[in-house]
Amino acid sequence: MTFNNINGTFVSIEWNRTPLNKYLNIAKLIKGDLNIMKQEWDISAIKEPKYLSKRKLWEVYGILPKRDTNGKRKRLRKVFETKEKAVAFRKDQQDEWNTYYQNTNIRRTRLSEREESDALNAIALMKQKFPEDYLKKSLYDAVRFYCDKFDPLHKDMMLDEAIAKYLKNPKLVRATKDHMNQSKWKLDNFYETFGNRLIGDFTAEEIEDYIYDENKEWVDKTRANHYSILHTFFNFCLKKDWTIKNVVSKVDKPTQSNEEPIALSIPEVKKLMKVAEEVDAGSMLPYFALAIFCAVRPSEILRLDWKKFVWDDKKPCFVIEGKGQRRRSVEMPETCIKWLKPLSAEEGSVAPANAKKLFNLIRAIAGYRVSRKSIEISEAEEWEKKLKKCEVESRPTWVRDVMRHTGITYYLKQNDDQNKTAMWAGNSPQVINSNYRAVTGVTAGTCKQFWDILPNY
């Protein structure tokens, strides 16, 4: 038998010898170049509940057939107090996504799988860039704009190669040895943070998060130096046509802050602790308790291990390993003990592995302005409603080191001893006396309220 398909080619079929699957392939040709697209699916991708011994919880983890704004498969992760609840949740999820698979996951398209993925990622990028009116913009117009503006001299350049070429450029070679060493050290640090990727792929939001990251022990001058070197480096890349813009120029340059320390209000502290208790089964509670009630720096918390805590002392304390040989013992106020002790473990990191993103997520849920891209984690999915407007300018801006400033201010207010406070916080008495004696909103009345903020467990 001979058929003529829509492309004008002939297909001959010998019915008695051709297996059934060949008939199906021929049928596709007769119908045209339509591919039956189906996402990969495996019901076992939602794994059996796993017991987390350190946290005494049951976890259900899985990979879902949905994709996020970056085109990556979404992940599911939830924790439960009992195995029974975890098993029931897993079954519900399997039933839900199996129904999704049966009803909506097969469709016809002329796009190949690669083309479809590319188009979906492009549309997701438009949604992210123009959340209010992306429906008014077409993918065709975006591609046409790119074609009109495309520079044929543009060359894709990876970060490692760009840094190597920059460090050998004649202008930098003529600079002082100290400037060259500083440039190399700061660019190497940048590379270690982001890994090797295309120069043109960096965004202003990423640069801003990198420069202003609270978990770095950088003073304002250090941040400004990193900013300047990155700005010069990306300008070099722009002139070489390795990128179409200098993303660093879209970030505000850090300046030396002369402002007085600001303390969180009592309602703000309560809100942060409440949200931290609700997000990811409270994995970030120790982080916030230490930052607010013990004034520990974020970078110090990330390095802190539970084995550094001493609970059977007359005054429970923990040891912080600072840079170099610096160490200090921090005595815990009663409030902090009540938050921490029920959550403590024999050993292991105090902060979870994804603490930075969870920190951003908790701040966003609590009402602060946070970049949506900085909280692209599975734990954010159940909070989508509260994250829709997390980038609007009407939200309050988070003040760097505000939790530490809050802890120091109230500790000084309670003890009225600048030397004791300085030793406790790892500062000098002069800094304590000049910066924390009078902070707006901190009074004898709010001091009592602050130290009375206690957990419900």
Side-chain angles (χ1 to χ4, degrees), residues 193-207:
T193 301
F194 289 99
N196 204 21
R197 50 191 279 194
L198 289 171
I199 287 293
D201 284 350
F202 285 95
T203 65
E205 289 79 11
E206 288 177 314
I207 303 297

Side-chain angles (χ1 to χ4, degrees), residues 305-363:
D305 193 285
W306 284 114
K307 63 186 178 185
K308 297 292 183 180
F309 284 73
V310 179
W311 297 103
D312 55 0
D313 240 11
K314 185 177 180 181
K315 294 182 178 179
C317 62
F318 57 92
V319 176
I320 288 178
E321 303 285 351
K323 286 187 175 181
Q325 300 299 316
R326 290 184 300 167
R327 298 169 80 247
R328 80 175 189 274
S329 177
V330 182
E331 180 187 314
M332 285 182 280
E334 190 62 31
T335 301
C336 193
I337 294 172
K338 289 182 178 179
W339 281 101
L340 279 184
K341 194 168 184 179
L343 307 173
S344 64
E346 292 277 334
E347 60 180 357
S349 178
V350 171
N354 57 345
K356 291 184 180 180
K357 289 196 173 184
L358 284 171
F359 174 63
N360 292 335
L361 173 61
I362 290 167
R363 289 188 298 142

